[in-house]
Amino acid sequence: MDALDALLNRKSVPRLMEPGPDEQQLEILFKAALRAPDHAALRPWQFIVFEGESRAELGDIFADALAAREPGTSEAALEKAKGKALRAPVVIAVIAKVSEHPKVPAIEQKLSAGAAAQNILIAAHAMGLAGIWRTGAACFDPYVRKKLGAVNEDEIVAFLYIGTSNGTPPLPELEISDYVSRWEHFSGPEN
Ligand SMILES: Cc1cc2nc3c(=O)[nH]c(=O)nc-3n(C[C@H](O)[C@H](O)[C@H](O)COP(=O)(O)O)c2cc1C
């Protein structure tokens, strides 16, 4: 697929079917991720792949975290949390591994991890796959963070759900002029 086609037509797909990315496609997804802009070449990224049975373990982590966060959560809600990791053939946790750097604040390292996540979504789309970026309370949960190896300033920036789309969702129609202005015509709100 043409690069602009991929950029202009990617659409998130919430319900994803088999097949997921095969080994070769996974490698391409991560090669794309590792091309994310990266100030001072800190490589502030870690990716964890959950596929097949290991998705159930991620589901257990989600459910255990919810139970600890909200004691008294119903069995039905815990089962629902468990099932979340099964919404796609492959789930990729994207973690910003943040380190101290005199010129690269934490926000830049987290943005770099976000760019890596977006590269994965675009590359998946370009290969005929589909995906969606999800976060939710699990991303910020201390138990989930611990289980996934996020420490100190690290951030779980995404759970990327990747698989095959079961249809082509419509693209939203957005007006560029609602979001873009040239400085000489700038008419933003006054402070
Ligand atoms: C940082 C981030 C976190 C998100 N978390 C969720 C989420 O937890 N659940 C969800 O349904 N969508 C989430 N979204 C939105 C979807 O990924 C997606 O962007 C949205 O459904 C719009 O679809 P589009 O990407 O095709 O425009 C998140 C997006 C971003 C950038």
Side-chain angles (χ1 to χ4, degrees), residues 2 8-9 16 40 42 53 58 61 64 82 95 97 102 126 129 131 135 151 155 157 164 182:
D2 174 77
L8 298 181
N9 294 308
L16 294 150
L42 294 179
E53 293 301 306
L58 178 62
I61 292 171
D64 292 347
K82 275 187 192 177
I95 302 167
K97 298 296 293 180
L129 295 162
T135 49
V151 295
E155 200 86 64
V157 299
T164 297
R182 288 195 163 71

Side-chain angles (χ1 to χ4, degrees), residues 9-14 87 114 118 121 131-137 139-140 157-161 169-172 174:
N9 294 308
R10 179 206 63 82
K11 181 83 187 75
S12 300
V13 177
R87 289 177 292 186
Q118 176 69 353
L121 289 177
I132 186 165
W133 180 333
R134 294 184 189 272
T135 49
C139 272
F140 314 103
V157 299
F159 288 105
L160 300 176
Y161 289 73
L171 293 173
L174 300 178

Side-chain angles (χ1 to χ4, degrees), residues 13 15 17 164-169:
V13 177
R15 299 270 170 270
M17 310 182 300
T164 297
S165 173
N166 59 2
T168 314

